[in-house]
Amino acid sequence: MNTLATFTALLLVGLASTKPTTNNDTLHIIEDLFPEVFVIYTGEKDITKIVVPLNSINFDDTEDVEVISNDENIYIFFIEEGKGLFVMKNKQVTKLLENGNDISASSDQSKEVYFAASDGIYRFNEQEKKAEKYGTVTDNTIAIAAVSINGTNDYYILTAENVVYKVTDDGTRKEEITNVKDAQQIVLDSAENLYFVDNKKDVYVRLAEDGTVKSIKGLPAHPSDVQLLRPPFVVEEAVPVIAGKNTYLAYANGTSEFADIILDTKPSAISLDTTLILFAGHNNKIYEYNLLAIVLTEITKEDLSVDLTEVKSFFSDQISYIQSIATRSKSSFRA
Ligand SMILES: *[C@@H]1O[C@H](CO)[C@@H](O)[C@H](O)[C@H]1NC(C)=O
Ligand SMILES: *[C@@H]1O[C@H](CO)[C@@H](O)[C@H](O)[C@H]1NC(C)=O
Ligand SMILES: *[C@@H]1O[C@H](CO)[C@@H](O)[C@H](O)[C@H]1NC(C)=O
């Protein structure tokens, strides 16, 4: 299998496509998929988290999603292991926190970006380009997931004691979610269903509607490791799951589906937030994959030293779908 197809396929074949695809090739992510030409940041340690907020800090809701295919002026937040939590904009990198563990932003009209840290929650101050302590939570917090509905500043946190709380009232009120037990990771879908992995590496969903918890069926038993990803915004009531080398979509109804992607080379971080631009951490670097450019292609074989002919033919039946994503506004996806 060719190179770039695998990454773009993460979006189209596996994760973002809301319709069944006719192309059922299994795709392998391999080292060749990480050409130097896509590098936007080079660090010294593993990149463990990349978050591109899909709210008004980056994208005006009245704009077409097309603007998302242009990465100029967008804020990219990331964590470099042992180095800290950083923000990059216009190629300029600023360190925000020494002790940051996670990053989350709601996908609404707000401009809020939150950080989970070893001493509680911080919020991004855009004017001063710094992280400020937010609310009254002081727990050692290893994960945070901001709620994107109803225009609140609510979010879920996961503490180092593996307890999940919902935090409301501008960070001042904390309520334990008692039926989420031994959580190691948490991720929200667009409907505020909370997916989590427990200490046996099993995946569950806690439904927004009535708070019931159910296990996700169809995932491999006893995988070497399990990772939940934040979903691209075109995906509703589902989140991507990586179990071992295999990728799945886990649905809020408790089912799951193999996403036809095998990660022979596993990125240290993946961001699908914007759907049309993928970001991946690998080899202590951040790589950016502009889907529209790859498929509609201004990129040539000479630029990449890889042949895109196969990639383009692989996606030839998907081009109109990609273009339809690019020209629909964000709000039309939320309707
Ligand atoms: C999908 O896979 C099945 C079974 O491997 C094969 O028979 C079929 O031709 C494939 N379809 C396409 C469109 O590749
Ligand atoms: C959002 O607001 C609507 C209308 O007030 C309410 O019915 C719904 O329960 C709220 N959803 C959540 C998750 O709070
Ligand atoms: C669960 O949801 C997915 C996505 O909406 C759907 O394809 C699937 O048929 C559903 N399964 C059941 C058992 O309802």
Side-chain angles (χ1 to χ4, degrees), residues 96-146:
L96 298 175
L97 279 177
E98 199 71 52
N99 60 340
N101 294 320
D102 197 13
I103 303 154
S104 185
S106 60
S107 302
D108 57 16
Q109 323 272 6
S110 78
K111 294 187 145 200
E112 312 292 354
V113 183
Y114 302 104
F115 311 124
S118 59
D119 59 349
I121 305 304
Y122 289 76
R123 184 162 66 159
F124 183 53
N125 178 326
E126 191 187 0
Q127 261 75 48
E128 299 178 32
K129 273 227 173 155
K130 62 180 196 184
E132 285 175 345
K133 201 83 181 22
Y134 179 68
T136 53
V137 172
T138 55
D139 301 71
N140 182 350
T141 310
I142 57 177
I144 182 162

Side-chain angles (χ1 to χ4, degrees), residues 10 16 31 34 81 95 101 103 107 109 112 114 127 149 157 159 183 208 226 236 284 288-289 296:
L10 256 178
E31 197 61 36
F34 300 90
E81 197 165 40
K95 183 167 181 169
N101 294 320
I103 303 154
S107 302
Q109 323 272 6
E112 312 292 354
Y114 302 104
Q127 261 75 48
I149 45 183
I157 60 168
T159 69
V226 173
E236 284 174 13
N284 306 341
E288 174 186 319
Y289 303 82
L296 303 179

